Amino acid sequence: GRLSYDKGAAIVHTLRFLVNDDDTFFELLQQYQSDFADSTARLNDFKVIAESVSGMDFTAFFNEWYYGEGFPTYNLEWNKNNSQVFIEINQNTSMSGITPLFTNDLEIKINGTDGSSTTERFSINTNNQIVAFSFDGEVESIEVDPNNWIMNKAGTMTENNEVLSVIDNESK
């Protein structure tokens, strides 16, 4: 049960986030229900329909989230320089020997001291990556996956002035 039933709904919810278009997501669910009404289907049948309707490749997604085990924990170190916020995202997984990396999109929300906020979406491709985006106000807090689209555990959020130096050194 722990590998499929317990996280089945969470996987479908995450798939909806990755499709990023409710009309397409609900179309693929309707297509799946229509094609397999009164019959038996396997995961690959669902995957084929999801890919066909959305035009996306979900091989890595199902390998990590369905066949794999565990979930990611995101630890962030960030720095703000002028109107740019630089965030180093470090991903650890709860079952790193089986699923060492979850490659998926991730939303990060920055909340300002003046009540302003912005949410940006990034593709996670490595266990350690740096992203940057514009934010004019003073940063009050940063949230990982603010809308709970993916099964994850938020780790530490630390302001670190060296995050900018890492980016500066990488661009030289």
Side-chain angles (χ1 to χ4, degrees):
R2 68 184 176 91
L3 300 180
S4 56
Y5 296 109
D6 293 347
K7 65 181 186 179
I11 291 171
V12 173
H13 185 68
T14 301
L15 182 69
R16 180 180 179 187
F17 173 64
L18 295 178
V19 169
N20 200 26
D21 178 339
D22 276 353
D23 290 340
T24 300
F25 175 74
F26 289 111
E27 179 184 338
L28 77 85
L29 291 181
Q30 289 172 349
Q31 184 68 47
Y32 180 70
Q33 183 179 18
S34 172
D35 286 3
F36 293 98
D38 302 318
S39 66
T40 303
R42 296 182 180 267
L43 175 69
N44 196 56
D45 298 321
F46 180 72
K47 179 181 174 283
V48 167
I49 288 174
E51 290 178 338
S52 173
V53 172
S54 71
M56 300 171 73
D57 180 0
F58 291 114
T59 302
F61 172 77
F62 284 106
N63 285 342
E64 294 159 6
W65 289 99
Y66 183 81
Y67 295 111
E69 292 184 34
F71 56 88
T73 297
Y74 299 102
N75 298 296
L76 305 183
E77 292 188 13
W78 64 275
N79 185 30
K80 184 165 188 295
N81 185 16
N82 297 321
S83 63
Q84 288 287 92
V85 177
F86 301 92
I87 301 174
E88 183 175 359
I89 305 168
N90 294 294
Q91 180 191 134
N92 298 310
T93 66
S94 61
M95 298 295 290
S96 60
I98 297 169
T99 310
L101 174 67
F102 287 90
T103 57
N104 49 261
D105 288 358
L106 178 69
E107 287 183 337
I108 296 176
K109 181 178 182 181
I110 296 182
N111 298 301
T113 56
D114 62 356
S116 64
S117 68
T118 187
T119 302
E120 298 288 335
R121 184 176 178 140
F122 302 98
S123 292
I124 301 297
N125 301 308
T126 67
N127 289 93
N128 186 338
Q129 69 187 68
I130 297 174
V131 297
F133 55 95
S134 297
F135 187 75
D136 289 325
E138 292 299 315
V139 176
E140 180 176 317
S141 64
I142 296 180
E143 298 174 57
V144 172
D145 191 27
N147 298 305
N148 296 311
W149 281 110
I150 60 174
M151 186 172 32
N152 72 88
K153 181 177 179 184
T156 59
M157 312 285 171
T158 308
E159 185 173 9
N160 179 351
N161 292 335
E162 293 181 17
V163 172
L164 179 59
S165 349
V166 170
I167 292 175
D168 286 342
N169 290 336
E170 287 178 356
S171 63
K172 291 179 181 177

